[in-house]
Each structure stands twice: as C-alpha cells, then as structure tokens.
Amino acid sequence: MAAQQSTAPLARRTVTLGVTGGIAAYKAAEIVRLLRQMGIHVQVAMTAAATRLMSAHALATLSEHRVALDLFDPSLDATPPSLDVSSWGKSQPSREVGIDHIALSRRADLMVVAPATANILGKVAHGIADDLLSTTIMASSVPVLFAPAMNVQMWENAAVEENVALLRRRGYLFVGPAAGALACGETGTGRMAEPTEIVDAVVRELLKRRHGLRVLVTAGPTEEPLDPVRVLSNRSSGKMGVAIAAEARDRGHLVTLVAGPLRCELPLGVERIAVTTAEEMQAAVETHEAEADLLVMTAAVADYHAKVVSDAKLPSGQKALSVDLVPNPDILAAVGPKRRERGAITIGFALEIGADGDARARQKLEAKGLDMIVLNDATRADSAFGGDTTRVALLTPEGDAAQLPAQTKREAAREIVRRAERLCGFLPTVEETHPS
Ligand code: CTP
C-alpha cells in the first residue's frame, strides 16, 4: 500500500503546448480549454506559421498566460537591459532575455505538440533547433507527446515514417493521427487526434509520473441480456462513479474505471474498461483489484441474469411471459474480505430505502469486508438516480456514521475520496490548492 506519500494534484502540474502550422491549429483552443478545466497550468509556444492559422491572443486568453512566440523578445531589442547601466546591480532583468525556451521546458511537467507538422517532427528527429519551439523541445527533459497532423501522402512519406520511428525509439510519445476526411479534401491517415483524446493522453502521462494511489472504481448499471435486443438493467446513471473517478484523478491518483453502460460522459485521463454484464464486471474487477490500493464499488450491479439467453428475439404479444432468472455473483463480497486480509482498502455503496437503512448497510459493510459503506436513499428527490445531487451517509466498521448534506455528486465524491485517502494512510498535499 502507498502509505505516507504525498502527491501533486493536477492543479499543480504544468503542460507546455507547442502549436505548429497545421490547419488543426484551431483545435489548440479546445486542448487548452480542457486542460484548464482540470486545473492544469498551460503555457503555449507557437511557431510563426501557427500564428497565421490560430490567434495567439485567443490562446493567451484561454491559457491565462503569455504565449511564447520568439526566441528573442522583440520588446528588448530597442533598449537591451544589459546596456541599461542604471539598472546594474539593482535587478537582473537580463536573466530572462533569450532563455524563454529553457524556462518553457524547465517549468513544464510534460510537453505536447498539437498539431505536430512533418516539419517539427523532422527537425526534432535530426537535432535542428532554429526557432523557439524546436529549441524548447530539444532543451526539454520531460516527456514530449506529439499529435501529428498532415496530409496522408506526407504521413506516408518515407522520410516522415523514418522520423517518427526514430522519435519513438528515442522515447518521444505519439497520439494519433487518425484516419478520416482530411482538410485537403483527401481521405486517409493524417487527421490530428481529437482534443479529448490528446488531453486524455496528456493526463494519463502526467499521472503515471505520480506518487498517488492506484484507484479502481466501478460505475453505472450492468445489463443482462434476455434476447439479442432486450436487456434487464436498472436506472443507475453512473454519475457518482464518474465523479469519484474524476475527483481521484484531479487529486493526483492513477485511476482505472470499470464502466457499465453509462448515461453520462466518461472522464478523461483515466483508464477506462467498458463492460456490459455483471460477469464481465466481475472479471474486470478481479483482474485489476490486485494492484489497486483503493477499490470504490459504486456500480449498481444487476442482481439477476436470465438462466437462458434466447438466441432469437422473444415474441411479443398478449400472452404472459416468464423468464427464469438466476442470481449474479456478488463481486464485492468475493473480493472485499480478501482485500481486507492484505490491508487494501475497499468502499462499497448501499442503496437502502426506509427506516432500517443504517442497519442493513452495516450488515453489508460487515458481510462484504468493507472499510466504508456509502449509504444512499435514491427515493429522495435530492438523491435520485440520474440526478446531479446526492445525500449520503458514510459508515465505517468502527461504528462512525457521517451524514453529509445534500450536495453535488462531485462534492460528495471529494469527501469520499478524502476519507479514502486517510483510510489508505495517504497524506495528500492538496488541500491548500484544491478548495472545496
Ligand atoms: N455489489 C456487487 N455485486 C453485486 C451486487 C452488489 O459488487 N452482485 C456491490 C455494489 O456495487 C455495492 C454493494 O455491493 O457497492 C451493495 O450493493 P446493493 O445493490 O445495495 O446491495 P445488495 O448487496 O445487492 O443488496 P440489495 O439488493 O438487497 O440491496
């Protein structure tokens, strides 16, 4: 278990985004927006060609940071500070002159170049540093992720292929390009990966170099087929599990999300494993729980599946239909006690309605070997399935019960993850930068 560690949350990470002169440069705005949404600090460096396709002002506004354009700061050309004798000995303005590329690479935890043209790939592969961006990449000691974007003939050009292979061998990372319709009117491989895919790769890369917990979260309902078109399921949206996965990610933990068919968007920056049935969810949990410091089982696993799944569509009509149902395995009951034995932390959820909810949740806490159970009454308007708010109580084996107020699922997730960190003996350093 990762005890007594601290981690840097995403809010304290810096990404340098290099933008080169491909038509996909306009998508840099969305990349900056998504990174900023997660609290990641972004500094943008643009090539001269990129500024003709995308506004540096827009990227400066979105990143809330000056955009670096030149190796040499033109504003210093008129009165070079080093020649301003009156300032000698008072301050050192000249220290910043011409070293933007060093600062850009040193301040960053990761560099991403999106779009990356054939030109920048060629330059980096062959050690050419003739402008701010190529110099910054060359001076960088952090991982560099390229998102290539170019015409299909260029992507398939032998020189580009060799450059990409060379860069991969040297440890440079790539996301995309994808196949599809290209801006030039042709179809083929060369489209820049979508901004969500690029940000997903950036965040995963940032979190790999972390000292956080390994967190496994399950979310959503499962679907049990009755025939090729009909399923047995429940009303779970998956929002609570997604909120927990996103919160754990933002606090610097490496997250794997096992997701049933969700009725909400999947979070970026986490490993996602899509499952449909309880059996598939069980297989995924059993594969991944061994390396998880923390398992949070929010999934509303269907309790039954059809004894026989009909190969043909069941006939509809006026006659009563009965289907034999058999119980699904209880995933948590199978892994919880084993995890407890080896000191790994496990949190379950209980959906209980009525007065004895507490007592029934406590029985589950005990029977499934849990360290905490999150009790929820989904018949309340402020805690309903699919809603954005929830009102939960947190119960532990020691007999403690904390009733949380009705709040957004994200706020509840923050409280659950904070408590889980403590149960894991994990000392976060995030409170001061991550306000509630
Ligand atoms: N759970 C599970 N496998 C199942 C059923 C539930 O792992 N087959 C997990 C859920 O993810 C949840 C906890 O067990 O974390 C409790 O689920 P819940 O459905 O409330 O309880 P059940 O044990 O299914 O009891 P009941 O159906 O009586 O409410």
Side-chain angles (χ1 to χ4, degrees):
M1 178 169 2
Q4 303 291 305
Q5 291 181 345
S6 66
T7 183
L10 287 180
R12 275 209 237 121
R13 310 288 175 97
T14 297
V15 167
T16 293
L17 170 65
V19 185
T20 65
I23 187 66
Y26 76 93
K27 292 188 178 174
E30 182 63 0
I31 296 172
V32 175
R33 194 186 68 80
L34 289 169
L35 290 170
R36 290 294 301 131
Q37 215 173 44
M38 284 188 235
I40 297 169
H41 189 74
V42 186
Q43 47 190 21
V44 179
M46 298 177 83
T47 62
T51 59
R52 302 183 70 176
L53 294 154
M54 175 70 213
S55 151
H57 291 286
L59 295 184
T61 306
L62 288 167
S63 66
E64 302 166 74
H65 204 280
R66 192 173 66 91
V67 169
L69 302 170
D70 275 307
L71 264 177
F72 305 101
D73 186 341
S75 69
L76 297 171
D77 285 348
T79 48
S82 54
L83 299 182
D84 181 2
V85 188
S86 64
S87 70
W88 287 8
K90 291 180 189 161
S91 63
Q92 295 177 310
S94 60
R95 287 182 62 190
E96 283 292 319
V97 177
I99 60 159
D100 229 356
H101 61 293
I102 303 290
L104 276 171
S105 55
R106 291 243 172 96
R107 278 189 215 125
D109 296 291
L110 185 136
M111 280 198 71
V112 53
V113 185
T117 55
N119 187 44
I120 193 74
L121 297 176
K123 282 206 252 185
V124 179
H126 297 282
I128 297 167
D130 65 349
D131 64 2
L132 176 71
L133 184 60
S134 50
T135 315
T136 303
I137 297 171
M138 224 71 88
S140 168
S141 58
V142 297
V144 179
L145 175 71
F146 288 111
M150 63 196 77
N151 164 274
V152 57
Q153 309 296 341
M154 288 176 82
W155 178 247
E156 287 172 1
N157 181 293
V160 173
E161 279 183 351
E162 279 178 28
N163 288 341
V164 170
L166 181 62
L167 290 168
R168 283 189 201 276
R169 281 204 300 281
R170 289 185 185 152
Y172 288 93
L173 306 167
F174 284 81
V175 54
L182 304 174
C184 55
E186 290 181 45
T187 302
T189 301
R191 253 174 97 97
M192 188 174 81
E194 286 306 317
T196 47
E197 204 184 325
I198 294 169
V199 170
D200 188 49
V202 166
V203 175
R204 284 184 195 215
E205 214 39 61
L206 283 175
L207 293 178
K208 261 194 215 162
R209 292 160 171 79
R210 92 306 171 225
H211 305 286
L213 298 168
R214 284 178 176 269
V215 181
L216 178 63
V217 183
T218 65
T222 64
E223 273 180 3
E224 313 300 327
L226 297 175
D227 69 14
V229 294
R230 298 189 181 88
V231 295
L232 193 67
S233 189
N234 58 62
R235 290 186 171 150
S236 167
S237 64
K239 285 183 182 174
M240 193 65 229
V242 164
I244 288 178
E247 183 62 29
R249 170 203 67 197
D250 285 1
R251 292 170 74 84
H253 305 302
L254 195 61
V255 181
T256 301
L257 177 67
V258 176
L262 304 188
R263 295 182 179 94
C264 63
E265 263 182 53
L266 284 164
L268 298 176
V270 309
E271 188 189 351
R272 298 176 295 266
I273 300 166
V275 297
T276 306
T277 64
E279 200 185 350
E280 287 169 18
M281 185 170 277
Q282 183 175 37
V285 168
E286 283 181 350
T287 306
H288 295 277
E289 71 82 20
E291 57 189 23
D293 303 302
L294 171 66
L295 166 64
V296 188
M297 191 83 196
T298 69
V301 185
D303 289 310
Y304 294 93
H305 66 271
K307 191 172 179 187
V308 178
V309 179
S310 172
D311 286 339
K313 192 175 163 227
L314 292 169
S316 54
Q318 297 304 305
K319 275 204 276 176
L321 174 75
S322 54
V323 178
D324 274 347
L325 299 177
V326 289
N328 272 329
D330 191 317
I331 304 169
L332 206 43
V335 298
K338 284 191 277 179
R339 291 179 58 78
R340 163 155 280 190
E341 242 169 58
R342 57 171 205 269
I345 299 301
T346 311
I347 297 179
F349 273 63
L351 178 74
E352 302 293 349
I353 299 165
D356 299 333
D358 254 51
R360 286 197 299 274
R362 283 207 177 279
Q363 278 167 11
K364 286 179 191 173
L365 181 78
E366 181 73 21
K368 302 191 187 197
L370 309 179
D371 300 282
M372 186 162 90
I373 195 154
V374 182
L375 169 61
N376 177 30
D377 177 352
T379 57
R380 290 179 57 102
D382 55 14
S383 212
F385 269 141
D388 291 321
T389 60
T390 190
R391 186 175 175 280
V392 295
L394 310 179
L395 280 55
T396 62
E398 291 71 42
D400 301 343
Q403 176 62 60
L404 305 187
Q407 55 191 334
T408 65
K409 287 186 173 171
R410 187 58 189 258
E411 284 163 343
R414 189 165 305 154
E415 191 53 38
I416 293 165
V417 175
R418 273 183 186 162
R419 286 173 189 248
E421 283 170 349
R422 268 179 254 144
L423 288 171
C424 292
F426 186 85
L427 293 181
T429 56
V430 300
E431 312 302 336
E432 61 279 16
T433 56
H434 204 298
S436 299

